[in-house]
């Protein structure tokens, strides 16, 4: 499936659209897949754990509380996610190592960049509903992203 979110919105008017504010940072501009959620705040321990596991074409949706005080994803975790078959990550927070991530075969959307890494305290929740951008993401939904925006569907499209 070619992912073009305006076409998805036209063809599937029931999809939810995430409010603008995200930027595309990954080496893959358009990506989509089944949702896996992480809820964490200034601690990317659960993100680090998950990118080390097979992604099976899924998209990790990370609710970082919108924090712009530390990065939840860097080049090493992005490369590990790509190597393990994740389609991408959507991060309600910041990333770092942008120049390397832009060359990584992975979709990455985030609010912005920050050079500081997070503390690792082992705090965070996996596969719980998360809400940001006017949308609640639930494990098992499908998310599609490109340079136009991010849309969420209850079912796989295309």
């Amino acid at each position: 499936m070619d992912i073009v979110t305006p076409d998805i919105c036209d063809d599937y008017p029931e999809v939810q659209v995430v409010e603008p504010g995200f930027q595309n940072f990954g080496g893959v501009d358009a990506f989509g897949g089944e949702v896996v959620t992480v809820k964490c705040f200034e601690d990317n321990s659960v993100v680090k754990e998950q990118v080390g596991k097979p992604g099976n074409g899924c998209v990790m949706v990370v609710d970082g509380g919108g924090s712009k005080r530390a990065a939840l994803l860097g080049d090493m975790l992005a490369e590990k996610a790509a190597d393990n078959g994740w389609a991408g990550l959507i991060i309600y927070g910041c990333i770092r190592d942008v120049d390397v991530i832009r060359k990584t075969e992975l979709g990455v959307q985030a609010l912005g960049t920050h050079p500081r890494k997070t503390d690792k305290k082992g705090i965070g929740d996996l596969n719980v509903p998360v809400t940001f951008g006017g949308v609640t993401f639930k494990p098992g939904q499908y998310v599609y992203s490109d340079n136009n925006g991010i849309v969420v569907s209850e079912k796989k499209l295309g």
Side-chain angles (χ1 to χ4, degrees):
M1 170 184 181
D2 286 331
I3 296 170
V4 181
T5 57
D7 291 348
I8 291 172
C9 288
D10 292 349
D11 294 342
Y12 303 94
E14 71 277 7
V15 298
Q16 299 177 75
V17 179
V18 177
E19 294 169 353
F22 287 82
Q23 298 176 57
N24 213 340
F25 291 104
V28 176
D29 285 338
F31 61 97
E34 187 173 348
V35 171
V36 172
T37 63
V38 172
K39 186 174 181 74
C40 58
F41 186 76
E42 297 179 4
D43 180 345
N44 71 345
S45 299
V46 177
V47 174
K48 181 179 181 180
E49 179 182 302
Q50 292 306 302
V51 299
K53 297 179 179 179
N56 301 315
C58 291
V59 175
M60 191 182 311
V61 177
V62 181
D63 181 355
S67 173
K68 294 185 178 176
R69 299 187 301 198
L72 294 171
L73 181 73
D75 59 345
M76 292 188 296
L77 295 185
E79 288 171 355
K80 190 176 279 192
D83 290 345
N84 285 324
W86 289 88
L89 288 91
I90 297 171
I91 300 177
Y92 186 53
C94 290
I95 67 165
R96 67 187 205 159
D97 303 315
V98 175
D99 295 331
V100 175
I101 290 175
R102 285 192 199 283
K103 297 174 186 170
T104 303
E105 195 66 22
L106 183 72
V108 178
Q109 290 260 3
L111 295 180
T113 62
H114 197 289
R116 185 179 313 259
K117 66 180 180 178
T118 69
D119 291 330
K120 308 270 187 306
K121 299 176 185 172
I123 300 170
D125 297 308
L126 176 65
N127 282 330
V128 296
V130 298
T131 302
F132 58 83
V135 172
T136 297
F137 299 84
K138 298 174 196 144
Q141 290 178 317
Y142 288 83
V143 64
Y144 301 93
S145 173
D146 66 6
N147 287 319
N148 296 292
I150 302 167
V151 299
V152 182
S153 172
E154 295 296 324
K155 62 183 181 189
K156 186 174 184 178
L157 304 178

